[in-house]
Amino acid sequence: MREQKFKISFNSPVILGFSVICFAALILGMITSGRTNTMFFSVYRSSLLNPLTYIRFVGHIFGHAGWEHFLGNIMLILVVGPLLEEKYGSSNLLFVILATALVTGLANFALFPRVQLLGASGVVFALILLSSFTGIREDGIPLTFILVAALYIGQQVYQGIFVNDNVSNLAHILGGLVGAGLGYVLNKKKMSRY
């Protein structure tokens, strides 16, 4: 009888790579007392002549304000992300993440000139709503999607109106909309291949 060797598999390159970049950005932010977050890993109104402005449109998803912020986002991404990467493929999941970053970054830049946005919570919401689309069929929209969308987006609308905290509810809502929209498109493409 052969002895089985235990080995760790690198199962989700996009999600693992994303998590490592977020961890590195967090450590850099701590070492530099937040200067790297301001320079690269948050988006805010700045001159369009500054090349770093364009990096920040996407780079803000890697920055986090501290351990609690980082862990809250990364734990959900590590739970949901690998399943989605397996279902949709690495390049499609990377596209969802980058599209979410760009949409939330541009919205914050345009609508909130005095607000510095950082963190992966828009990506978390995109992945949550994307995951609720995994059961879509040609003849309808899954009830789970409707429930998840109503609960998550409804909660964000409520909190945006009635709760005064340091959370970007718009980034959550836009992330969810990007995840839902791309989930619909990705699943429609898969269904048309069969």
Side-chain angles (χ1 to χ4, degrees):
M1 199 150 118
R2 287 183 66 188
E3 203 176 302
Q4 283 188 317
K5 291 183 179 180
F6 176 78
K7 66 180 186 177
I8 296 173
S9 64
F10 190 70
N11 64 322
S12 186
V14 169
I15 293 301
L16 291 171
F18 180 81
S19 300
V20 167
I21 293 169
C22 288
F23 179 73
L26 177 69
I27 298 302
L28 280 171
M30 291 175 160
I31 291 170
T32 64
S33 299
R35 286 189 294 280
T36 53
N37 278 347
T38 300
M39 190 177 290
F40 302 111
F41 304 121
S42 60
V43 65
Y44 49 88
R45 182 74 56 86
S46 58
S47 171
L48 292 173
L49 298 176
N50 182 348
L52 292 178
T53 298
Y54 301 97
I55 291 170
R56 290 188 288 262
F57 284 149
V58 173
H60 69 95
I61 61 172
F62 302 118
H64 288 86
W67 284 108
E68 188 176 332
H69 188 209
F70 169 78
L71 290 173
N73 285 331
I74 293 302
M75 284 194 298
L76 282 167
I77 288 170
L78 287 171
V79 168
V80 178
L83 302 171
L84 294 172
E85 191 166 347
E86 185 178 318
K87 177 174 176 59
Y88 296 109
S90 296
S91 60
N92 284 331
L93 194 61
L94 180 61
F95 180 77
V96 169
I97 291 169
L98 294 176
T100 302
L102 192 57
V103 167
T104 56
L106 288 171
N108 191 81
F109 183 88
L111 300 175
F112 302 103
R114 293 178 188 88
V115 175
Q116 188 171 342
L117 175 69
L118 74 160
S121 55
V123 173
V124 169
F125 274 76
L127 297 183
I128 288 169
L129 268 87
L130 178 64
S131 71
S132 67
F133 255 99
T134 58
I136 193 171
R137 305 279 183 258
E138 269 188 73
D139 58 349
I141 295 175
L143 179 59
T144 54
F145 167 74
I146 294 168
L147 291 172
V148 167
L151 292 172
Y152 270 95
I153 293 180
Q155 176 193 31
Q156 294 309 303
V157 170
Y158 171 82
Q159 288 180 345
I161 295 170
F162 296 110
V163 178
N164 187 12
D165 58 14
N166 203 16
V167 174
S168 177
N169 301 97
L170 181 62
H172 295 175
I173 292 167
L174 290 174
L177 292 174
V178 169
L182 291 176
Y184 181 79
V185 169
L186 290 170
N187 280 292
K188 278 293 185 189
K189 279 185 184 177
K190 283 189 174 218
M191 285 186 290
S192 67
R193 284 190 222 150
Y194 298 115

